[in-house]
Amino acid sequence: MDAITEEKTRTYPLMTRREVEHLIAEGRNIIIVNQHVLKVDAWIKYHPGGDKSIAHEIGRDATDEVTVLHSPEAQQMMNRYRIGRIEGRWRNFIPPIQGGRFRLASDSSEADNNVEEEDACPARLQNTAVSSNGSSRSTSPVPSPVFDVIEHNNSGLRARHGDDTASQRAGSVTSLSSVDEEEFDGMAFLESETRKEIKLDLDRYPSLDAATQEEIVRQYRLLYERIKAEGLFQCNYTAYAIECVRYTLLFAGFLYFLRLGWYTTSAAFLGGFWHQLVFSAHDAGHMGITHDFHTDSVIGIIIADFFGGLSLGWWKRNHNVHHIVTNFPEHDPDIEHMPFFAISHRLLGSLRSTYYDKVMEYDAAARFFIAVQHYSYYFILLFGRFNLYRLSFDYLLMGRAPKKGPAWWHWWLEIAGQAVFWTWFGYGVVYKSIPTWGSRVVFILVSHAVTAPLHLQITLSHFAMSTADLGPNESFPQKMLRTTMDVDCPQWLDFFHGGLQFQAIHHLYPRIPRHNLRRTQKLVQEFCDDVGIPYALYGFVGGNKEVIGRLAQVSRQAAILAKCQRSLAVGEDGHGHGHAHHH
């Protein structure tokens, strides 16, 4: 208690934007929370939610993200990393992981790189201000050949590198001389599509000027207090008792029909059990059940690893990034499904994923699958669970889990869980209880295919929504509501969707227990009306139509891109290029 009192009374030095930039250029991990400057170097490796989620907040005001994703105890713990304070509104930098560049204090760059005095969007300056001694910090990967060239030409084409006006953000490319003709042609088409998407969002959503975004944040924080006052963060344990009855009946059905030798029916019950169980693992991963980090983590690991063979630690690392950079094609792992799906034309440019740290190649396989993705969508979802096993193994076996800090022992528990799962499911059920290889294959395929609605529910809320990056000035609540849709369904069907039908509300306040999301919906709708943000709400069928429509749109864009490149090739044969640029 003395330490807390001392923390409250302690004063910190006032820091300028330039001083913060210098620290980041030196390689420090600096975030802004509640008007304080935090240096989280010592914590980033031990963060239970992974290092990538913090990396996307460096140089930014992360107050809202920290508040809604962490328990009060975790927020209190963060205070020990304070090194200074700021006054007034903080203008966000672009984090190094996203391509932002930062200058050392000793760098005497030309005057227009002085972010203290420049009125233009600071993001543009960051990406052009390179330290005179080569020490500017940028952990961004090598630019992808088609799209990222735009980030370095100061044209204002990308929202995050222009001023706050639609005309400037939809500007034209000024310097493409370094790109060869074939890349230029493909890029010119993709750029025009990007301009359209950005302009559409700028027309539909509130202005990105400081006053408008500050008012949205003010109302959003007031809504948080109202939700808390109405007890909507308190868990309804009676609802979880009913969930447990459902899980037990499904598991009993699986065992009963397995004993009878009705293997396909047994597999269907097991798939239903997995499908329903994942919703509670999701709740636990967000500390939405007991609100205690370790208790909910153990609940989540028992559900995910012991009963389902999936890693909760992998899910947390993946999901936290998804919650912070939702629907950003190069950053959000939840929409990075190349070569099978592309929900943004930008993925046709072989973007580099900052999450997987590799280029998502738009290669021959991707060209084949993306051409038919609006037809293959549901079929591929039938195999989604196999991909989750792969990602879980990668996380657990490649040393991606925190080895120190509060979650150091979770990896050991997960490894035990995996051993238990593959013993009871792989050996006990598939190998020992089912007599023939044909029956075993059918059992595995059916049990896993029955979980496909889960993958549909996860993708449904984001695949049809915006993938445009409107830059560092956009507030957290506006970004969440722009990139996430809710699905309207009757209350009696809530158990089937498991809370995932309220994704927009969940993205605004991830720690609200899912049984309270329907009650929260009315408050969020009022908030959206007050601040003028469109609230995306579709019926289940309507939402599916939107997703298929988006997949078909990107398929068409891929076809046009191929046509552009073929046209250019013909032009080269005839020693001319001009006709290829009318697309």
Side-chain angles (χ1 to χ4, degrees):
M1 194 68 187
D2 290 340
I4 294 172
T5 307
E6 183 186 337
E7 179 59 51
K8 284 180 178 175
T9 57
R10 185 176 172 188
T11 56
Y12 294 89
L14 192 62
M15 295 182 69
T16 65
R17 181 181 176 77
R18 195 72 182 82
E19 288 170 330
V20 170
E21 184 186 6
H22 171 78
L23 288 173
I24 298 173
E26 284 189 322
R28 308 290 178 218
N29 296 297
I30 306 292
I31 62 174
I32 311 298
V33 178
N34 291 319
Q35 298 297 103
H36 283 84
V37 179
L38 275 61
K39 181 163 75 75
V40 295
D41 296 19
W43 176 243
I44 194 165
K45 290 182 290 191
Y46 309 140
H47 182 224
D51 56 334
K52 298 278 187 180
S53 53
I54 295 179
H56 284 289
E57 296 293 359
I58 292 171
R60 296 176 52 88
D61 185 336
T63 302
D64 291 317
E65 291 91 328
V66 165
T67 301
V68 299
L69 284 164
H70 295 83
S71 67
E73 295 77 22
Q75 294 175 52
Q76 186 70 43
M77 183 276 294
M78 288 178 204
N79 292 343
R80 71 178 70 163
Y81 298 104
R82 289 175 173 178
I83 60 167
R85 60 189 173 88
I86 60 162
E87 279 185 352
R89 182 181 70 91
W90 177 259
R91 285 186 299 139
N92 289 329
F93 286 114
I94 293 175
I97 194 173
Q98 295 180 17
R101 291 175 182 259
F102 299 80
R103 300 162 299 152
L104 294 167
S106 58
D107 178 13
S108 54
S109 299
E110 57 272 22
D112 67 357
N113 282 343
N114 187 337
V115 286
E116 284 296 327
E117 298 171 7
E118 187 68 45
D119 289 329
C121 174
R124 177 196 295 182
L125 301 171
Q126 286 161 226
N127 280 31
T128 57
V130 184
S131 171
S132 57
N133 62 5
S135 301
S136 87
R137 180 190 183 194
S138 175
T139 58
S140 60
V142 176
S144 67
V146 175
F147 191 83
D148 288 355
V149 142
I150 304 163
E151 297 188 5
H152 302 286
N153 61 38
N154 287 354
S155 67
L157 175 73
R158 282 198 77 187
R160 70 183 190 186
H161 295 295
D163 299 324
D164 290 340
T165 63
S167 59
Q168 284 170 303
R169 293 192 178 211
S172 61
V173 176
T174 57
S175 172
L176 295 167
S177 56
S178 62
V179 186
D180 71 42
E181 285 294 325
E182 182 178 349
E183 288 174 332
F184 169 81
D185 190 71
M187 191 177 72
F189 168 66
L190 295 181
E191 285 166 5
S192 70
E193 295 300 298
T194 300
R195 285 197 293 273
K196 286 179 199 170
E197 187 178 24
I198 289 170
K199 187 174 187 316
L200 187 66
D201 279 1
L202 290 170
D203 289 344
R204 287 188 63 208
Y205 289 87
S207 166
L208 297 178
D209 68 83
T212 302
Q213 294 299 309
E214 277 182 31
E215 177 59 17
I216 289 170
V217 169
R218 188 185 73 81
Q219 300 252 35
Y220 171 66
R221 292 175 184 175
L222 285 175
L223 178 58
Y224 175 81
E225 295 302 328
R226 184 177 172 189
I227 288 169
K228 201 159 67 168
E230 294 195 15
L232 294 173
F233 282 104
Q234 300 307 310
C235 188
N236 179 351
Y237 291 111
T238 305
Y240 273 109
I242 295 167
E243 299 287 349
C244 289
V245 170
R246 188 181 299 118
Y247 303 153
T248 304
L249 290 173
L250 286 166
F251 198 74
F254 144 66
L255 291 174
Y256 175 70
F257 289 110
L258 182 68
R259 187 179 178 87
L260 287 183
W262 293 24
Y263 302 122
T264 307
T265 310
S266 172
F269 271 91
L270 179 59
F273 171 73
W274 281 337
H275 173 261
Q276 287 290 299
L277 209 56
V278 163
F279 300 139
S280 289
H282 177 256
D283 300 344
H286 279 295
M287 291 182 294
I289 300 177
T290 69
H291 305 304
D292 176 76
F293 171 68
H294 287 300
T295 305
D296 277 358
S297 293
V298 170
I299 291 171
I301 289 169
I302 289 170
I303 291 171
D305 291 86
F306 284 77
F307 284 111
L310 306 177
S311 164
L312 186 80
W314 158 76
W315 177 84
K316 281 187 182 184
R317 185 173 190 262
N318 180 99
H319 198 68
N320 287 339
V321 172
H322 163 68
H323 267 269
I324 288 166
V325 283
T326 310
N327 261 29
F328 282 30
E330 65 270 63
H331 306 309
D332 180 1
D334 273 19
I335 62 167
E336 296 178 346
H337 301 298
M338 296 290 276
F340 300 106
F341 300 130
I343 67 159
S344 168
H345 63 276
R346 292 186 51 209
L347 288 161
L348 307 179
S350 293
L351 284 182
R352 186 177 189 88
S353 164
T354 58
Y355 183 82
Y356 295 111
D357 197 25
K358 68 176 183 181
V359 173
M360 297 175 284
E361 297 282 358
Y362 183 53
D363 53 15
R367 282 194 286 273
F368 170 77
F369 284 114
I370 288 163
V372 298
Q373 62 179 359
H374 44 306
Y375 301 114
S376 62
Y377 174 61
Y378 296 110
F379 177 73
I380 288 175
L381 292 183
L382 295 173
F383 302 93
R385 192 174 184 87
F386 294 104
N387 188 45
L388 300 187
Y389 291 141
R390 179 184 69 82
L391 292 165
S392 296
F393 290 146
D394 174 78
Y395 172 83
L396 292 171
L397 301 180
M398 299 305 291
R400 306 191 199 282
K403 297 174 183 63
K404 294 183 181 179
W408 69 269
W409 53 274
H410 292 184
W411 179 84
W412 294 97
L413 186 59
E414 289 206 77
I415 291 295
Q418 292 293 319
V420 169
F421 173 79
W422 291 107
T423 301
W424 76 258
F425 172 70
Y427 179 73
V429 174
V430 175
Y431 183 70
K432 290 292 284 184
S433 303
I434 301 172
T436 67
W437 278 108
S439 298
R440 287 169 187 158
V441 170
V442 169
F443 183 90
I444 291 169
L445 290 176
V446 170
S447 61
H448 287 63
V450 168
T451 67
L454 171 69
H455 306 289
L456 175 60
Q457 288 157 331
I458 291 167
T459 57
L460 184 61
S461 297
H462 299 291
F463 269 27
M465 297 302 287
S466 173
T467 58
D469 177 358
L470 298 190
N473 296 340
E474 185 177 31
S475 63
F476 175 72
Q478 179 166 315
K479 183 167 63 179
M480 294 303 103
L481 288 162
R482 187 172 58 81
T483 55
T484 314
M485 76 158 74
D486 275 355
V487 177
D488 200 17
C489 75
Q491 192 165 352
W492 65 270
L493 257 182
D494 281 356
F495 82 93
F496 177 73
H497 291 287
L500 298 185
Q501 74 274 36
F502 298 117
Q503 276 289 290
I505 299 161
H506 170 69
H507 267 257
L508 290 174
Y509 303 104
R511 288 187 300 112
I512 293 179
R514 72 171 133 123
H515 303 103
N516 296 339
L517 289 172
R518 185 173 283 279
R519 285 168 56 201
T520 310
Q521 186 178 42
K522 294 182 179 63
L523 302 180
V524 170
Q525 285 172 320
E526 287 175 20
F527 161 76
C528 289
D529 290 341
D530 289 343
V531 298
I533 296 178
Y535 171 58
L537 180 65
Y538 291 89
F540 186 71
V541 174
N544 273 270
K545 285 180 179 174
E546 290 290 318
V547 170
I548 297 300
R550 168 60 62 85
L551 294 171
Q553 178 189 19
V554 177
S555 292
R556 285 194 300 274
Q557 289 167 329
I560 294 169
L561 179 64
K563 191 176 175 184
C564 281
Q565 291 168 339
R566 283 197 302 272
S567 180
L568 178 68
V570 171
E572 283 174 342
D573 291 340
H575 305 290
H577 309 290
H579 67 285
H581 300 303
H582 68 276
H583 296 291

